[in-house]
Amino acid sequence: MRKFKKGIVVTGSIGSGKSTVCTLLKLHGYSVIDADEIAHEVLQSLADEISIKFKDVVKNGKVDRKKLGEIVFADKDKLSWLEELLHPKIRDEIYAKCEILEDKNIFYFVDIPLYFERKGVYECFEKVVVVYASKEELIKRVIKRNELDSKAAKSRVNLQIDIEEKRKMANFIIDNSSDLLNLEASVNKFLNDLKGKANVG
């Protein structure tokens, strides 16, 4: 299978700030493939199958993602079933977009939240950048962003591989422990490091 040498995976953990980083990368002029966006499209395309498995999460042909999330994040077997249904189709769509960008021979980014959790699925990538914040900070952000209590937020964070482990497995780190100004500086440093290692720019 073809290796995507110019494609760099952006990952982290829930609440680490991947979306903000990807917005900054776009502002620098880079293309970003959004796995979540693709996942939403795939999820909606499978509404009929999902409605059979999960009652009352599809109304008027639309999947209620929040309700579905509440169900699967509370039951690992149901989460596994949903992932097995979605991920092969998500991967195929990501790879199709990568094929187009790879031929341009410039760096591009692929935002894959569960890259390490699904690493065997995404073997075509060689470089990974982890957007980092401490576990305590992740939980605080998830409580605020998703309007969850502490127990539910911890449960969602703990469903993923520990952020410290992801940090060890990364080729690059973008630190998002602080404010937006520091994040912008971390993104700039990462892009300079990337250009230096590639001997370009």
Side-chain angles (χ1 to χ4, degrees):
M1 190 176 279
R2 180 182 187 181
K3 292 286 187 183
F4 297 127
K5 296 185 178 295
K6 293 294 181 179
I8 299 162
V9 172
V10 180
T11 194
S13 183
I14 184 171
S16 66
K18 298 178 300 297
S19 296
T20 305
V21 166
C22 287
T23 298
L24 292 172
L25 292 170
K26 288 176 188 175
L27 289 173
H28 279 275
Y30 292 96
S31 295
V32 178
I33 297 169
D34 186 340
D36 267 350
E37 191 176 287
I38 292 169
H40 294 163
E41 292 169 2
V42 170
L43 182 71
Q44 187 54 47
S45 74
L46 296 168
D48 289 346
E49 288 177 65
I50 289 164
S51 68
I52 295 167
K53 180 76 173 179
F54 304 107
K55 305 299 180 188
D56 302 323
V57 299
V58 179
K59 292 188 177 177
N60 301 319
K62 293 280 185 184
V63 179
D64 184 336
R65 295 203 310 269
K66 185 176 180 184
K67 194 168 187 178
L68 181 61
E70 288 169 357
I71 293 168
V72 299
F73 285 125
D75 187 321
K76 285 188 176 181
D77 289 337
K78 289 177 181 176
L79 181 61
S80 293
W81 180 90
L82 186 64
E83 288 181 345
E84 290 303 320
L85 177 69
L86 297 177
H87 277 288
K89 293 177 174 62
I90 294 168
R91 180 200 58 207
D92 290 348
E93 186 62 29
I94 288 171
Y95 281 3
K97 291 179 182 292
C98 287
E99 289 284 355
I100 295 166
L101 291 173
E102 194 73 19
D103 289 337
K104 295 182 179 180
N105 202 34
I106 54 175
F107 285 120
Y108 61 93
F109 296 91
V110 190
D111 179 2
I112 306 178
L114 297 176
Y115 171 75
F116 287 117
E117 286 80 359
R118 308 290 298 183
K119 193 169 182 183
V121 176
Y122 297 105
E123 294 179 332
C124 291
F125 299 105
E126 297 179 338
K127 293 185 177 67
V128 184
V129 56
V130 164
V131 182
Y132 175 83
S134 70
K135 190 171 183 179
E136 293 75 17
E137 184 62 31
L138 296 176
I139 292 166
K140 281 184 199 172
R141 291 176 186 174
V142 173
I143 289 170
K144 185 177 179 181
R145 186 189 73 185
N146 294 55
E147 298 179 346
L148 298 172
D149 60 28
S150 178
K151 184 180 177 182
K154 284 178 183 175
S155 175
R156 291 208 183 184
V157 170
N158 288 335
L159 274 173
Q160 300 180 0
I161 293 171
D162 189 272
I163 191 66
E164 300 300 336
E165 288 302 310
K166 291 183 178 183
R167 185 174 186 166
K168 291 174 189 173
M169 293 186 281
N171 301 100
F172 303 95
I173 305 292
I174 291 176
D175 186 83
N176 190 24
S177 300
S178 184
D179 57 19
L180 183 59
L181 200 62
N182 281 286
L183 178 60
E184 288 173 343
S186 190
V187 169
N188 288 337
K189 181 181 182 302
F190 157 66
L191 289 173
N192 286 332
D193 288 348
L194 181 64
K195 289 173 183 175
K197 286 195 176 187
N199 196 29
V200 297

